[in-house]
Amino acid sequence: MKKHFNLVMLLSLLITYSCSEDILRNDGVSNESNPTEFFTNAQLEQGAITNPDIPAAFVNGIYAQMVQTGTGGTTSHDDFGQKGYDIFGDMLSGDMALSVSTYGWYRADITEFQAPLDFTRGRNRMVWRYYYRIIRSCNNVIKSLGGNDFVPSLDENKFAMGQAKAMRAHSYFYLTQYFQKEYVANEMILPLYTEAISTNVAKSSAEDIYNLMEKDLNDAISLLNGFNRNAKNQVNQDVAKMILGYVLGAKGGRDAEVASLTRDVINSGNYTMLSQTQLVSTAAGVNGFIDVNSPSWMWGFDITGTNGLGLVSWWGQVDAWSYSYAWAGDYKVIDKSLYDMIPANDGRKGQFFNNPASGRYLQPLFKFRASNAIGSAPRPITSDYVYMRVEEAYLLNAEANAKAGNDGLARTSLKALVSRRVPDASYIDGLSGQALKDEIYKQTRIELWGEGKSYLAMKRNKATTVRGTNHLSFVGVPIPYNDERMQFEIPLDEIQNNPFVSEQNQ
């Protein structure tokens, strides 16, 4: 009877398994119940001929999980997909401060480091479950299109395969960042799943996981050649190159390749950095941080009412103009020390509310703005999510070139961005060596504040965070990037349910 499944039914099954709420790890469906075993690669190719929407539908199911609430396995108001974990990283790095805590979200587990220090805390499980859930969905898609080593002949299938491989690498990348202090090749860090299987596996080495990410992303770059996406939530070749740049940058020792990848993106001409007038919002929607059609956005999600987002969303946690915790009493603000580093004539200083007498001091009221009255943005949320901007390519290119000793090229990329933010960026011409690297890191923190990139930059640059005076805890305490408090722990559920990981952790 299974042999009569058609591809539409297969799609339904893939989505069902991908969205299952009660599976923690990479558990897929067994061979006994998985209908994909009855489809040959040729049949799958023929299915795309008769219905070219099928491969895209496979991948769109992956992207949908990036914005869904509850994908970390909870009903908590900080469980809403990729942007939720961007907040975790921004707060762990110290660049995003919790200055007022009325409702308690993020305070104990993240800002006071209880989750990174206690594997029984639920935030460890949320991070783990979300990314392994995406990986499981990617593995299902890859298998349905022929498997890891299969190269589809149809463009629709090539593009779907490329996106699935890029997303699998993206998820493993965040797992490596959140669960390993720094790259150590032979350290056993994470279970590595490349197939949709229902059995547990032991932890693999960092080297093996990075090798998979690199292969997946190089495959994706090749497979996505010629892909003209119809929405920015889809990974295209440029985004895949940037993800690979981040992977190699985190691994270290591959600076020339990172510089080359980011230079390709810059030279593509597909994106334009935000202008001075787009940096600061003068009214709702009048800026470059709310609409996926913003010319600098490389990757983002067009949020509509059908997504059903409201209080439980990134906007519901960070934007005071929304009906949100940031309006009602959990204020997320820029670290005071970082704010003080921004020159008075830098356009980005105006993104933050500069009134020390107000409880909203240093909220990003003029960077992210969903309405024209505090707390009044309508629900459901329709403001968009940004995952990646072209400014990141300039900053990562500058960082990689500086680390490779190519100071001239680093200055060129850095100056291209900073000259759009301050009236005179000529001071960059006199920077070299460590001073140049420090300036690039500082500019990365300022430019991308609140966008989920501070934590990644902290780890790449092996920095030490020192919280400013507007934090509620650990003010002035130096915390290095590889401190126990900077990484999550393999969660209790995984240790209890995976005997291989349990044995390795002893």
Side-chain angles (χ1 to χ4, degrees):
M1 197 174 158
K2 295 174 189 172
K3 295 183 180 180
H4 298 292
F5 274 78
N6 60 30
L7 284 172
V8 174
M9 295 176 72
L10 168 60
L11 172 60
S12 176
L13 281 167
L14 286 170
I15 292 174
T16 298
Y17 290 127
S18 295
C19 296
S20 174
E21 287 295 330
D22 57 359
I23 300 173
L24 172 63
R25 297 170 303 282
N26 195 57
D27 303 336
V29 288
S30 70
N31 284 338
E32 287 188 339
S33 60
N34 188 352
T36 59
E37 67 176 312
F38 296 101
F39 290 91
T40 65
N41 294 335
Q43 287 173 315
L44 288 165
E45 293 279 304
Q46 185 60 37
I49 292 173
T50 58
N51 189 346
D53 292 331
I54 287 175
F58 285 169
V59 182
N60 285 339
I62 299 171
Y63 295 132
Q65 294 176 74
M66 296 182 73
V67 302
Q68 286 176 353
T69 61
T71 45
T74 76
T75 58
S76 296
H77 287 196
D78 54 355
D79 186 349
F80 44 82
Q82 177 62 43
K83 296 303 292 182
Y85 306 113
D86 284 350
I87 295 176
F88 282 12
D90 282 341
M91 286 192 160
L92 285 177
S93 75
D95 283 358
M96 179 180 284
L98 183 67
S99 64
V100 176
S101 177
T102 301
Y103 299 94
W105 295 109
Y106 302 99
R107 184 167 186 176
D109 275 351
I110 305 302
T111 71
E112 295 176 356
F113 308 118
Q114 290 188 23
L117 294 175
D118 182 357
F119 71 103
T120 69
R121 304 288 292 191
R123 268 61 194 175
N124 296 295
R125 180 182 186 270
M126 279 171 55
V127 180
W128 185 272
R129 185 187 190 281
Y130 169 74
Y131 288 110
Y132 272 112
R133 177 176 175 167
I134 297 289
I135 290 166
R136 183 181 66 244
S137 297
C138 294
N139 286 338
N140 276 326
V141 171
I142 291 166
K143 182 174 182 178
S144 75
L145 294 173
N148 287 295
D149 298 321
F150 183 68
V151 179
S153 60
L154 292 174
D155 283 346
E156 292 87 351
N157 285 4
K158 279 184 181 178
F159 301 152
M161 179 76 86
Q163 292 173 77
K165 287 193 170 188
M167 285 302 302
R168 182 168 69 180
H170 179 265
S171 291
Y172 274 121
F173 172 64
Y174 273 89
L175 286 169
T176 63
Q177 297 307 284
Y178 280 128
F179 289 93
Q180 187 182 30
K181 292 180 179 179
E182 58 189 319
Y183 179 74
V184 177
N186 62 357
E187 184 181 0
M188 310 303 282
I189 58 171
L190 300 166
L192 181 61
Y193 295 93
T194 60
E195 303 285 347
I197 59 175
S198 59
T199 56
N200 294 306
V201 300
K203 290 190 289 187
S204 290
S205 69
E207 181 177 28
D208 287 344
I209 293 170
Y210 273 80
N211 286 344
L212 175 72
M213 290 190 287
E214 187 174 347
K215 182 181 186 306
D216 271 354
L217 288 163
N218 279 317
D219 287 350
I221 291 166
S222 176
L223 290 162
L224 292 170
N225 187 40
F227 174 49
N228 294 312
R229 60 186 177 179
N230 54 31
K232 282 191 181 178
N233 68 285
Q234 299 169 326
V235 171
N236 66 4
Q237 194 176 55
D238 292 333
V239 174
K241 287 180 178 180
M242 282 296 296
I243 298 172
L244 180 55
Y246 277 119
V247 169
L248 298 181
K251 184 177 183 179
R254 307 283 289 277
D255 300 314
E257 293 168 79
V258 176
S260 177
L261 289 161
T262 50
R263 177 51 55 185
D264 285 349
V265 172
I266 293 168
N267 289 342
S268 72
N270 295 327
Y271 321 94
T272 305
M273 283 192 285
L274 295 178
S275 67
Q276 190 81 351
T277 57
Q278 294 168 312
L279 283 177
V280 179
S281 61
T282 56
V286 186
N287 64 38
F289 299 98
I290 198 168
D291 187 350
V292 74
N293 295 310
S294 177
S296 81
W297 286 28
M298 295 179 59
W299 191 23
F301 202 101
D302 184 9
I303 303 294
T304 67
T306 58
N307 295 117
L309 298 183
L311 183 63
V312 186
S313 67
W314 184 92
W315 292 93
Q317 284 289 359
V318 177
D319 177 46
W321 302 95
S322 297
Y323 180 83
S324 67
Y325 288 104
W327 156 63
D330 279 5
Y331 297 165
K332 288 82 175 177
V333 303
I334 186 172
D335 173 84
K336 178 65 163 57
S337 299
L338 179 58
Y339 177 78
D340 289 344
M341 293 181 193
I342 308 175
N345 63 354
D346 188 320
R348 295 167 297 187
K349 195 144 189 142
Q351 294 173 335
F352 305 96
F353 185 51
N354 185 12
N355 181 357
S358 170
R360 298 189 185 281
Y361 182 45
L362 299 187
Q363 276 193 316
L365 297 184
F366 310 109
K367 180 172 184 177
F368 310 110
R369 184 172 181 171
S371 76
N372 284 321
I374 297 293
S376 72
R379 291 173 289 170
I381 293 291
T382 57
S383 301
D384 298 336
Y385 280 171
V386 58
Y387 299 142
M388 185 181 291
R389 290 194 287 132
V390 73
E391 286 85 349
E392 297 174 40
Y394 284 87
L395 289 162
L396 193 55
N397 180 271
E399 179 185 304
N401 274 310
K403 289 178 178 178
N406 299 321
D407 285 0
L409 293 175
R411 287 191 292 265
T412 297
S413 291
L414 181 62
K415 196 172 180 181
L417 184 146
V418 177
S419 63
R420 289 172 172 259
R421 308 296 183 243
V422 299
D424 183 7
S426 61
Y427 74 93
I428 293 173
D429 296 333
L431 298 178
S432 62
Q434 190 59 48
L436 178 58
K437 294 174 187 175
D438 291 344
E439 181 67 15
I440 294 166
Y441 177 48
K442 182 184 78 173
Q443 291 297 332
T444 300
R445 296 169 65 197
I446 295 170
E447 178 69 26
L448 302 175
W449 185 90
E451 298 177 50
K453 300 301 190 298
S454 291
Y455 179 83
L456 305 180
M458 177 193 69
K459 296 194 74 171
R460 284 196 314 275
N461 289 279
K462 302 185 184 303
T464 295
T465 180
V466 181
R467 292 182 177 181
T469 56
N470 56 343
H471 287 260
L472 297 177
S473 56
F474 295 92
V475 172
V477 177
I479 304 176
Y481 72 99
N482 57 357
D483 190 280
E484 291 287 347
R485 291 167 286 188
M486 288 289 107
Q487 282 77 42
F488 292 104
E489 296 285 334
I490 293 179
L492 175 63
D493 289 46
E494 179 70 13
I495 294 172
Q496 289 177 328
N497 297 322
N498 187 339
F500 301 106
V501 168
S502 179
E503 182 178 347
Q504 288 174 310
N505 273 22
Q506 291 177 359

